[in-house]
Amino acid sequence: MKIKVGLIGFGRMGQFYLKEMQKSGQWDIVYICDVNTDALELAKLLSPESKTITDERIVFTDKNVQVVGLFALADSRKRQIEQAIQSGKHIISEKPVSDTIDKEWEVVNLTEKYDRFSTVNLYLRNSWYHQTIKQFIEQDEIGELAILRICHMTPGLVPGEGHEYEGPAFHDCGMHYVDIARWYANSEYKTWHAQGVNMWNYKEPWWIQCHGTFQNGIVFDITQGFVYGQLSKTQTHNSYVDIIGTKGIVRMTHDFQTAVVDLHGVHETLHLERPFGGKNIDVLCKLFADSIKTGKRNPRLPFIRDSAIASENAWLFLKDAHQHVLPAIGELQTLEEIRERRKHLKNGYGLLQSHRSVSYTHLRAHETDQYL
């Protein structure tokens, strides 16, 4: 029997969830809720069997709905999670789970006392490449894990393109990399030093490099920024993971189409190339559906606490960057040129599509890095 779900928020992420839930055959999308009429018109086109509504209370009060998907803005999620708990729904949430860290920890406390399942989309954990790499490390192929190096730089979202409630780029996108480093280290952050650049003379650093240590001694450096050739004729990006052990190494790169993993262990040397997989929402939805059907939480599902920890540390790293010299390089006029160019790009990184123009054919892998 299909699991009945109500989707709240039918912007970019809500559309991704609808697509994957429809493909899986495990979900009955009963409601799609959004306050934007253009979004609801699109919802009617893409999912005519769903009821399209503007009042989210209908989702929470319908006793037949088992799961709510919370994909609206971050400032709405704490209230919606509280309503979900009051109405006895399972919860799938986008990150962060609220718009301030204090509210995020309130959500953690609420969900950890709750007897239904809740999870958050920390999508990197569900990628085939990170799962493969972690398994290789756990087989003692590289010895003791010592150094984690993670980089993700694209000409993605610039200031004013969706970060209002999720913070600057290093929080909105970077918290995924803060999370995956902690996931690999299996430890909490201990020390850090962050350096940023106020690119285009914008008030917040849109590029940050942070390095430091975990409590178990593993060293990390994380580099993230949406500043990578914004006005270059042909856009490109630089994304990699480089993990160094006492005996061997593993590394990964991708082009948003194919991920390439090189495993250099003491017993095996492997070169793997497979489709990138995007945001892996299909995996998250399957793990969650299986958990509901079996009554046993899949251990691969992230907890709300994981999101709060990643969010809090990303904010701390941003705060640390502000404690050091923040060079202001460039001019705001350049930022305006970038914004204008992105309005007219048809093929680019993290482009925001209008509700009237978007369709599933537009949701291609290289256009889905709003939070990558």
Side-chain angles (χ1 to χ4, degrees), residues 239-273:
S239 188
Y240 64 79
V241 173
D242 189 15
I243 300 176
I244 303 167
T246 56
K247 299 178 181 178
I249 65 99
V250 295
R251 61 183 178 230
M252 184 279 296
T253 60
H254 69 77
D255 62 2
F256 290 108
Q257 299 292 326
T258 303
V260 178
V261 175
D262 287 302
L263 306 168
H264 292 263
V266 292
H267 300 108
E268 286 189 293
T269 301
L270 300 173
H271 177 83
L272 307 175
E273 296 187 23

Side-chain angles (χ1 to χ4, degrees), residues 45-175:
L45 176 66
L46 299 178
S47 186
E49 69 280 5
S50 303
K51 298 175 183 176
T52 54
I53 57 175
T54 57
D55 186 351
E56 65 187 37
R57 290 175 297 181
I58 296 173
V59 178
F60 295 113
T61 56
D62 188 333
K63 295 181 179 180
N64 293 315
V65 173
Q66 300 163 267
V67 180
V68 290
L70 307 180
F71 315 130
L73 295 177
D75 65 333
S76 67
R77 288 186 195 132
K78 179 176 180 290
R79 181 193 74 250
Q80 291 168 347
I81 288 171
E82 289 172 337
Q83 289 178 287
I85 290 172
Q86 291 167 5
S87 57
K89 314 296 188 192
H90 300 287
I91 302 164
I92 301 175
S93 176
E94 271 300 303
K95 43 59 61 183
V97 292
S98 193
D99 56 336
T100 69
I101 191 59
D102 288 343
K103 291 179 182 178
E104 288 181 77
W105 282 110
E106 289 176 27
V107 170
V108 171
N109 292 331
L110 288 170
T111 54
E112 291 187 347
K113 297 174 183 176
Y114 187 43
D115 63 355
R116 303 295 173 92
F117 297 129
S118 59
T119 194
V120 63
N121 181 25
L122 297 173
Y123 79 97
L124 289 175
R125 294 179 178 219
N126 291 322
S127 63
W128 73 264
Y129 41 90
H130 284 306
Q131 288 289 329
T132 299
I133 290 170
K134 191 169 189 182
Q135 184 180 23
F136 194 74
I137 293 170
E138 289 173 349
Q139 292 170 350
D140 200 33
E141 280 288 330
I142 69 168
E144 292 184 66
L145 198 160
I147 303 166
L148 292 164
R149 303 182 60 238
I150 300 173
C151 173
H152 187 80
M153 295 187 292
T154 79
L157 289 177
V158 293
E161 284 191 335
H163 294 265
E164 290 80 1
Y165 295 101
E166 299 201 13
F170 192 81
H171 183 265
D172 180 10
C173 169
M175 67 173 279

Side-chain angles (χ1 to χ4, degrees), residues 296-323:
K296 183 178 180 180
R297 183 189 182 92
N298 190 294
R300 283 179 56 184
L301 284 173
F303 287 96
I304 299 293
R305 175 177 290 271
D306 294 317
S307 177
I309 291 172
S311 175
E312 182 172 51
N313 282 301
W315 281 125
L316 287 172
F317 299 166
L318 268 163
K319 181 179 179 181
D320 190 68
H322 278 278
Q323 304 306 309

